[in-house]
Amino acid sequence: MAPPKPMNGVSVAIAALILLLVACCHCVDANDQQQFMAPQNAARAHLRLRPLVWDAKLARYAQWWANQRRGDCALIHSNGPYGENLFWGSGNSWSPAQAANGWLSEARSYNYYSNSCKSEMCGHYTQIVWKSTQRIGCAHVICNGGGGVFLACSYDPPGNFLGRRPY
């Protein structure tokens, strides 16, 4: 039997791409997608808004940003082209549903008539129920050194424009 031939530059690039795709595909599985989306779409349905649709491009962006934050898990926004909700929790057992429900709990602080937050933050909630937003992609990582769990969702088109109501 002959020894395997060394890979050329194109073969190496293809192999690297395959590894990247395989590594990213397991980042958020179908169960995680459901956990991220079900609470958010339930809130949208309650307001008679169209459900958000999972978007692989947004999920890759959210995963890219989550990977950037893996080292420090700081709640710093990417300042990218999408709307964005971030969540951090200590330990390593926070689920996508817990993050989504945490964001949705801000609904109690949102006053539609004054289009403002009563006392606490409510921008995560208003991004979720932003009427023109159609797509979502999310990710989560375990932070380095036991630093907790970092979860991120990207939304397109983005919401939370100053002076405009979400719905």
Side-chain angles (χ1 to χ4, degrees), residues 110-163:
Y110 179 66
N111 183 315
Y112 180 83
Y113 299 103
S114 66
N115 192 32
S116 64
C117 301
K118 293 177 186 171
S119 58
E120 300 172 20
M121 184 181 295
C122 64
H124 299 102
Y125 167 72
T126 55
Q127 173 57 78
I128 291 168
V129 297
W130 200 265
K131 185 177 184 175
S132 62
T133 298
Q134 300 170 10
R135 293 171 297 283
I136 184 175
C138 305
H140 72 277
V141 296
I142 304 296
C143 306
N144 293 344
V149 178
F150 184 89
L151 299 103
C153 284
S154 297
Y155 301 85
D156 191 48
N160 285 341
F161 293 100
L162 195 61

Short mmCIF file of all heavy atoms in Angstrom, two decimals, residues 110-163:
data_model
loop_
_atom_site.label_atom_id
_atom_site.label_comp_id
_atom_site.label_asym_id
_atom_site.label_seq_id
_atom_site.Cartn_x
_atom_site.Cartn_y
_atom_site.Cartn_z
N TYR A 110 -41.71 48.14 29.90
CA TYR A 110 -41.99 48.94 28.70
C TYR A 110 -43.39 49.54 28.76
O TYR A 110 -44.37 48.85 29.00
CB TYR A 110 -41.85 48.09 27.44
CG TYR A 110 -42.16 48.88 26.19
CD1 TYR A 110 -41.34 49.93 25.81
CD2 TYR A 110 -43.27 48.60 25.42
CE1 TYR A 110 -41.62 50.69 24.67
CE2 TYR A 110 -43.56 49.34 24.27
CZ TYR A 110 -42.73 50.37 23.92
OH TYR A 110 -43.02 51.12 22.80
N ASN A 111 -43.48 50.84 28.52
CA ASN A 111 -44.75 51.55 28.45
C ASN A 111 -44.98 51.96 26.99
O ASN A 111 -44.30 52.85 26.48
CB ASN A 111 -44.74 52.78 29.37
CG ASN A 111 -46.06 53.51 29.37
OD1 ASN A 111 -46.66 53.75 28.33
ND2 ASN A 111 -46.51 53.85 30.56
N TYR A 112 -45.94 51.31 26.36
CA TYR A 112 -46.20 51.56 24.94
C TYR A 112 -46.64 53.00 24.70
O TYR A 112 -46.23 53.63 23.73
CB TYR A 112 -47.26 50.59 24.42
CG TYR A 112 -47.57 50.81 22.96
CD1 TYR A 112 -46.78 50.25 21.97
CD2 TYR A 112 -48.65 51.59 22.57
CE1 TYR A 112 -47.03 50.46 20.63
CE2 TYR A 112 -48.93 51.81 21.23
CZ TYR A 112 -48.12 51.24 20.26
OH TYR A 112 -48.38 51.46 18.94
N TYR A 113 -47.47 53.53 25.57
CA TYR A 113 -48.06 54.86 25.35
C TYR A 113 -47.02 55.98 25.41
O TYR A 113 -47.07 56.94 24.64
CB TYR A 113 -49.23 55.09 26.30
CG TYR A 113 -50.29 54.06 26.06
CD1 TYR A 113 -50.46 52.97 26.92
CD2 TYR A 113 -51.09 54.11 24.92
CE1 TYR A 113 -51.39 52.00 26.66
CE2 TYR A 113 -52.04 53.14 24.65
CZ TYR A 113 -52.18 52.08 25.51
OH TYR A 113 -53.10 51.10 25.24
N SER A 114 -46.06 55.83 26.31
CA SER A 114 -45.00 56.84 26.37
C SER A 114 -43.77 56.38 25.57
O SER A 114 -42.81 57.14 25.45
CB SER A 114 -44.59 57.11 27.82
OG SER A 114 -43.99 55.96 28.40
N ASN A 115 -43.83 55.16 25.05
CA ASN A 115 -42.73 54.55 24.30
C ASN A 115 -41.42 54.69 25.07
O ASN A 115 -40.41 55.16 24.56
CB ASN A 115 -42.59 55.17 22.90
CG ASN A 115 -41.65 54.38 22.02
OD1 ASN A 115 -41.55 53.16 22.13
ND2 ASN A 115 -40.95 55.06 21.13
N SER A 116 -41.48 54.26 26.33
CA SER A 116 -40.29 54.38 27.18
C SER A 116 -40.26 53.25 28.19
O SER A 116 -41.26 52.56 28.41
CB SER A 116 -40.31 55.73 27.91
OG SER A 116 -41.43 55.79 28.78
N CYS A 117 -39.11 53.11 28.83
CA CYS A 117 -38.95 52.15 29.91
C CYS A 117 -39.36 52.84 31.20
O CYS A 117 -38.94 53.97 31.45
CB CYS A 117 -37.51 51.69 30.01
SG CYS A 117 -36.90 50.92 28.52
N LYS A 118 -40.15 52.18 32.01
CA LYS A 118 -40.62 52.77 33.26
C LYS A 118 -39.47 53.04 34.22
O LYS A 118 -39.34 54.12 34.75
CB LYS A 118 -41.65 51.87 33.91
CG LYS A 118 -42.93 51.75 33.13
CD LYS A 118 -43.88 50.79 33.79
CE LYS A 118 -45.10 50.58 32.91
NZ LYS A 118 -45.94 49.50 33.40
N SER A 119 -38.65 52.02 34.46
CA SER A 119 -37.55 52.23 35.41
C SER A 119 -36.34 51.39 35.04
O SER A 119 -35.23 51.79 35.34
CB SER A 119 -38.01 51.86 36.83
OG SER A 119 -38.45 50.52 36.86
N GLU A 120 -36.55 50.26 34.45
CA GLU A 120 -35.44 49.38 34.10
C GLU A 120 -35.21 49.38 32.60
O GLU A 120 -35.92 50.01 31.84
CB GLU A 120 -35.76 47.96 34.57
CG GLU A 120 -35.99 47.85 36.07
CD GLU A 120 -36.49 46.47 36.47
OE1 GLU A 120 -36.31 45.52 35.69
OE2 GLU A 120 -37.07 46.37 37.55
N MET A 121 -34.24 48.59 32.19
CA MET A 121 -33.95 48.41 30.78
C MET A 121 -35.10 47.66 30.09
O MET A 121 -35.71 46.79 30.69
CB MET A 121 -32.66 47.59 30.65
CG MET A 121 -32.18 47.41 29.24
SD MET A 121 -30.67 46.40 29.17
CE MET A 121 -29.53 47.46 30.03
N CYS A 122 -35.38 48.02 28.85
CA CYS A 122 -36.40 47.28 28.10
C CYS A 122 -36.05 47.13 26.63
O CYS A 122 -36.84 46.65 25.83
CB CYS A 122 -37.78 47.91 28.27
SG CYS A 122 -37.96 49.58 27.61
N GLY A 123 -34.84 47.52 26.24
CA GLY A 123 -34.43 47.46 24.85
C GLY A 123 -34.30 46.06 24.28
O GLY A 123 -34.47 45.85 23.07
N HIS A 124 -34.01 45.07 25.14
CA HIS A 124 -33.96 43.69 24.65
C HIS A 124 -35.35 43.26 24.21
O HIS A 124 -35.54 42.68 23.14
CB HIS A 124 -33.44 42.74 25.73
CG HIS A 124 -32.07 43.06 26.21
ND1 HIS A 124 -31.84 43.71 27.39
CD2 HIS A 124 -30.86 42.81 25.65
CE1 HIS A 124 -30.54 43.85 27.55
NE2 HIS A 124 -29.90 43.33 26.51
N TYR A 125 -36.33 43.59 25.07
CA TYR A 125 -37.72 43.25 24.75
C TYR A 125 -38.17 43.95 23.47
O TYR A 125 -38.75 43.31 22.58
CB TYR A 125 -38.63 43.63 25.92
CG TYR A 125 -40.10 43.61 25.55
CD1 TYR A 125 -40.76 42.42 25.34
CD2 TYR A 125 -40.80 44.80 25.38
CE1 TYR A 125 -42.11 42.39 24.98
CE2 TYR A 125 -42.14 44.79 25.03
CZ TYR A 125 -42.79 43.58 24.82
OH TYR A 125 -44.11 43.56 24.45
N THR A 126 -37.92 45.24 23.35
CA THR A 126 -38.41 45.96 22.18
C THR A 126 -37.74 45.47 20.90
O THR A 126 -38.36 45.46 19.84
CB THR A 126 -38.26 47.49 22.33
OG1 THR A 126 -36.90 47.81 22.63
CG2 THR A 126 -39.20 48.02 23.42
N GLN A 127 -36.48 45.02 20.98
CA GLN A 127 -35.86 44.44 19.78
C GLN A 127 -36.58 43.17 19.37
O GLN A 127 -36.84 42.94 18.19
CB GLN A 127 -34.38 44.14 20.02
CG GLN A 127 -33.72 43.38 18.88
CD GLN A 127 -33.82 44.09 17.53
OE1 GLN A 127 -33.10 45.03 17.27
NE2 GLN A 127 -34.72 43.64 16.67
N ILE A 128 -36.95 42.35 20.33
CA ILE A 128 -37.65 41.09 20.02
C ILE A 128 -38.98 41.36 19.35
O ILE A 128 -39.36 40.66 18.40
CB ILE A 128 -37.85 40.26 21.31
CG1 ILE A 128 -36.48 39.73 21.79
CG2 ILE A 128 -38.83 39.11 21.08
CD1 ILE A 128 -36.50 39.14 23.18
N VAL A 129 -39.71 42.38 19.79
CA VAL A 129 -41.05 42.64 19.25
C VAL A 129 -41.05 43.77 18.22
O VAL A 129 -42.11 44.32 17.91
CB VAL A 129 -42.07 42.92 20.38
CG1 VAL A 129 -42.22 41.69 21.27
CG2 VAL A 129 -41.69 44.16 21.20
N TRP A 130 -39.89 44.12 17.69
CA TRP A 130 -39.83 45.16 16.66
C TRP A 130 -40.55 44.64 15.43
O TRP A 130 -40.18 43.61 14.87
CB TRP A 130 -38.38 45.53 16.36
CG TRP A 130 -38.29 46.87 15.71
CD1 TRP A 130 -38.23 47.12 14.37
CD2 TRP A 130 -38.29 48.14 16.36
NE1 TRP A 130 -38.19 48.48 14.16
CE2 TRP A 130 -38.23 49.13 15.37
CE3 TRP A 130 -38.35 48.53 17.70
CZ2 TRP A 130 -38.21 50.49 15.67
CZ3 TRP A 130 -38.32 49.87 17.99
CH2 TRP A 130 -38.26 50.84 16.98
N LYS A 131 -41.58 45.36 15.02
CA LYS A 131 -42.48 44.87 13.98
C LYS A 131 -41.79 44.50 12.67
O LYS A 131 -42.11 43.49 12.05
CB LYS A 131 -43.57 45.92 13.70
CG LYS A 131 -44.62 45.46 12.73
CD LYS A 131 -45.71 46.49 12.56
CE LYS A 131 -46.81 45.98 11.65
NZ LYS A 131 -47.93 46.94 11.60
N SER A 132 -40.83 45.28 12.23
CA SER A 132 -40.22 45.03 10.91
C SER A 132 -39.11 43.98 10.96
O SER A 132 -38.65 43.54 9.91
CB SER A 132 -39.67 46.33 10.32
OG SER A 132 -38.65 46.86 11.16
N THR A 133 -38.70 43.56 12.14
CA THR A 133 -37.68 42.52 12.23
C THR A 133 -38.28 41.20 11.75
O THR A 133 -39.39 40.84 12.12
CB THR A 133 -37.15 42.38 13.67
OG1 THR A 133 -36.54 43.62 14.05
CG2 THR A 133 -36.13 41.26 13.78
N GLN A 134 -37.53 40.49 10.91
CA GLN A 134 -38.03 39.26 10.30
C GLN A 134 -37.18 38.03 10.60
O GLN A 134 -37.69 36.92 10.60
CB GLN A 134 -38.09 39.43 8.78
CG GLN A 134 -38.98 40.56 8.33
CD GLN A 134 -38.81 40.85 6.85
OE1 GLN A 134 -38.18 40.10 6.11
NE2 GLN A 134 -39.39 41.94 6.41
N ARG A 135 -35.88 38.22 10.79
CA ARG A 135 -34.97 37.09 10.91
C ARG A 135 -34.16 37.15 12.20
O ARG A 135 -33.89 38.23 12.71
CB ARG A 135 -34.02 37.05 9.71
CG ARG A 135 -34.73 36.74 8.40
CD ARG A 135 -33.84 36.92 7.18
NE ARG A 135 -33.37 38.29 6.99
CZ ARG A 135 -34.11 39.29 6.50
NH1 ARG A 135 -35.36 39.07 6.16
NH2 ARG A 135 -33.61 40.50 6.35
N ILE A 136 -33.76 35.98 12.66
CA ILE A 136 -32.98 35.86 13.89
C ILE A 136 -31.93 34.77 13.72
O ILE A 136 -32.15 33.79 13.00
CB ILE A 136 -33.90 35.54 15.09
CG1 ILE A 136 -33.14 35.51 16.40
CG2 ILE A 136 -34.64 34.22 14.86
CD1 ILE A 136 -34.03 35.33 17.63
N GLY A 137 -30.81 34.94 14.37
CA GLY A 137 -29.79 33.91 14.46
C GLY A 137 -29.08 34.09 15.79
O GLY A 137 -28.80 35.22 16.19
N CYS A 138 -28.82 33.00 16.48
CA CYS A 138 -28.29 33.09 17.84
C CYS A 138 -27.15 32.11 18.05
O CYS A 138 -26.96 31.18 17.26
CB CYS A 138 -29.38 32.79 18.85
SG CYS A 138 -30.86 33.82 18.70
N ALA A 139 -26.43 32.31 19.15
CA ALA A 139 -25.30 31.46 19.49
C ALA A 139 -25.05 31.53 20.99
O ALA A 139 -25.53 32.44 21.65
CB ALA A 139 -24.05 31.91 18.74
N HIS A 140 -24.31 30.54 21.46
CA HIS A 140 -23.86 30.61 22.85
C HIS A 140 -22.52 29.92 22.98
O HIS A 140 -22.19 29.02 22.22
CB HIS A 140 -24.89 30.04 23.82
CG HIS A 140 -25.02 28.55 23.78
ND1 HIS A 140 -25.80 27.89 22.87
CD2 HIS A 140 -24.46 27.60 24.56
CE1 HIS A 140 -25.72 26.59 23.08
NE2 HIS A 140 -24.92 26.38 24.09
N VAL A 141 -21.74 30.40 23.96
CA VAL A 141 -20.43 29.82 24.25
C VAL A 141 -20.27 29.72 25.77
O VAL A 141 -20.88 30.47 26.52
CB VAL A 141 -19.26 30.65 23.68
CG1 VAL A 141 -19.30 30.69 22.16
CG2 VAL A 141 -19.21 32.05 24.26
N ILE A 142 -19.44 28.77 26.15
CA ILE A 142 -19.00 28.68 27.54
C ILE A 142 -17.74 29.54 27.62
O ILE A 142 -16.81 29.39 26.83
CB ILE A 142 -18.67 27.22 27.94
CG1 ILE A 142 -19.87 26.30 27.70
CG2 ILE A 142 -18.18 27.15 29.38
CD1 ILE A 142 -21.08 26.62 28.52
N CYS A 143 -17.71 30.45 28.57
CA CYS A 143 -16.59 31.37 28.70
C CYS A 143 -15.35 30.65 29.22
O CYS A 143 -15.46 29.68 29.97
CB CYS A 143 -16.96 32.50 29.65
SG CYS A 143 -18.48 33.35 29.20
N ASN A 144 -14.21 31.14 28.82
CA ASN A 144 -12.94 30.56 29.26
C ASN A 144 -12.78 30.68 30.77
O ASN A 144 -13.25 31.65 31.38
CB ASN A 144 -11.76 31.26 28.58
CG ASN A 144 -11.72 31.00 27.09
OD1 ASN A 144 -12.37 30.08 26.58
ND2 ASN A 144 -10.96 31.81 26.38
N GLY A 145 -12.11 29.71 31.35
CA GLY A 145 -11.74 29.78 32.76
C GLY A 145 -12.92 29.79 33.71
O GLY A 145 -12.83 30.37 34.78
N GLY A 146 -14.03 29.19 33.33
CA GLY A 146 -15.20 29.15 34.22
C GLY A 146 -15.88 30.50 34.36
O GLY A 146 -16.52 30.77 35.37
N GLY A 147 -15.75 31.33 33.32
CA GLY A 147 -16.31 32.68 33.38
C GLY A 147 -17.80 32.79 33.10
O GLY A 147 -18.31 33.89 32.99
N GLY A 148 -18.49 31.67 32.94
CA GLY A 148 -19.93 31.71 32.73
C GLY A 148 -20.31 31.33 31.32
O GLY A 148 -19.56 30.67 30.60
N VAL A 149 -21.51 31.75 30.95
CA VAL A 149 -22.08 31.46 29.63
C VAL A 149 -22.44 32.78 28.97
O VAL A 149 -23.01 33.67 29.61
CB VAL A 149 -23.35 30.58 29.76
CG1 VAL A 149 -23.98 30.32 28.42
CG2 VAL A 149 -23.03 29.27 30.46
N PHE A 150 -22.11 32.90 27.70
CA PHE A 150 -22.42 34.10 26.91
C PHE A 150 -23.33 33.67 25.78
O PHE A 150 -23.02 32.74 25.04
CB PHE A 150 -21.12 34.69 26.36
CG PHE A 150 -21.28 35.98 25.60
CD1 PHE A 150 -21.23 37.19 26.25
CD2 PHE A 150 -21.49 35.97 24.23
CE1 PHE A 150 -21.37 38.39 25.55
CE2 PHE A 150 -21.63 37.15 23.52
CZ PHE A 150 -21.57 38.36 24.19
N LEU A 151 -24.48 34.35 25.66
CA LEU A 151 -25.44 34.07 24.60
C LEU A 151 -25.71 35.34 23.83
O LEU A 151 -25.76 36.43 24.42
CB LEU A 151 -26.74 33.51 25.19
CG LEU A 151 -26.59 32.21 25.97
CD1 LEU A 151 -26.64 32.48 27.45
CD2 LEU A 151 -27.68 31.24 25.60
N ALA A 152 -25.89 35.20 22.52
CA ALA A 152 -26.13 36.36 21.66
C ALA A 152 -27.15 36.01 20.60
O ALA A 152 -27.13 34.91 20.05
CB ALA A 152 -24.83 36.80 21.00
N CYS A 153 -28.03 36.95 20.30
CA CYS A 153 -28.95 36.83 19.16
C CYS A 153 -28.79 38.06 18.29
O CYS A 153 -28.69 39.18 18.80
CB CYS A 153 -30.40 36.71 19.61
SG CYS A 153 -30.85 35.10 20.28
N SER A 154 -28.78 37.83 16.99
CA SER A 154 -28.73 38.91 16.00
C SER A 154 -30.08 38.97 15.30
O SER A 154 -30.69 37.92 15.04
CB SER A 154 -27.63 38.63 14.97
OG SER A 154 -26.37 38.60 15.59
N TYR A 155 -30.54 40.19 15.00
CA TYR A 155 -31.86 40.41 14.41
C TYR A 155 -31.74 41.26 13.15
O TYR A 155 -30.99 42.23 13.13
CB TYR A 155 -32.77 41.15 15.41
CG TYR A 155 -32.95 40.42 16.71
CD1 TYR A 155 -32.02 40.55 17.74
CD2 TYR A 155 -34.05 39.60 16.92
CE1 TYR A 155 -32.18 39.88 18.94
CE2 TYR A 155 -34.22 38.93 18.12
CZ TYR A 155 -33.28 39.07 19.13
OH TYR A 155 -33.44 38.40 20.32
N ASP A 156 -32.53 40.89 12.13
CA ASP A 156 -32.51 41.64 10.88
C ASP A 156 -33.91 41.73 10.30
O ASP A 156 -34.61 40.71 10.27
CB ASP A 156 -31.57 40.96 9.89
CG ASP A 156 -31.27 41.80 8.66
OD1 ASP A 156 -30.95 42.99 8.84
OD2 ASP A 156 -31.37 41.28 7.55
N PRO A 157 -34.32 42.89 9.84
CA PRO A 157 -33.69 44.20 10.06
C PRO A 157 -33.67 44.56 11.55
O PRO A 157 -34.51 44.10 12.32
CB PRO A 157 -34.59 45.17 9.29
CG PRO A 157 -35.51 44.35 8.46
CD PRO A 157 -35.53 42.98 9.03
N PRO A 158 -32.69 45.37 11.93
CA PRO A 158 -32.59 45.76 13.34
C PRO A 158 -33.74 46.66 13.76
O PRO A 158 -34.43 47.23 12.92
CB PRO A 158 -31.25 46.51 13.40
CG PRO A 158 -31.02 46.99 12.02
CD PRO A 158 -31.67 46.00 11.10
N GLY A 159 -33.91 46.79 15.06
CA GLY A 159 -34.95 47.66 15.61
C GLY A 159 -34.36 48.67 16.57
O GLY A 159 -33.19 49.00 16.49
N ASN A 160 -35.23 49.15 17.45
CA ASN A 160 -34.85 50.10 18.50
C ASN A 160 -34.36 51.43 17.93
O ASN A 160 -33.30 51.93 18.30
CB ASN A 160 -33.82 49.50 19.45
CG ASN A 160 -34.44 48.50 20.39
OD1 ASN A 160 -35.65 48.47 20.59
ND2 ASN A 160 -33.62 47.64 20.96
N PHE A 161 -35.16 52.00 17.05
CA PHE A 161 -34.84 53.33 16.54
C PHE A 161 -35.48 54.38 17.43
O PHE A 161 -36.67 54.31 17.73
CB PHE A 161 -35.32 53.48 15.09
CG PHE A 161 -34.56 52.58 14.14
CD1 PHE A 161 -35.09 51.38 13.70
CD2 PHE A 161 -33.29 52.93 13.72
CE1 PHE A 161 -34.40 50.56 12.88
CE2 PHE A 161 -32.58 52.10 12.87
CZ PHE A 161 -33.12 50.91 12.45
N LEU A 162 -34.68 55.32 17.86
CA LEU A 162 -35.09 56.35 18.79
C LEU A 162 -36.34 57.06 18.27
O LEU A 162 -36.41 57.47 17.11
CB LEU A 162 -33.95 57.35 18.98
CG LEU A 162 -34.07 58.29 20.16
CD1 LEU A 162 -34.13 57.52 21.46
CD2 LEU A 162 -32.87 59.23 20.18
N GLY A 163 -37.33 57.20 19.16
CA GLY A 163 -38.56 57.92 18.82
C GLY A 163 -39.60 57.09 18.08
O GLY A 163 -40.68 57.59 17.81
#
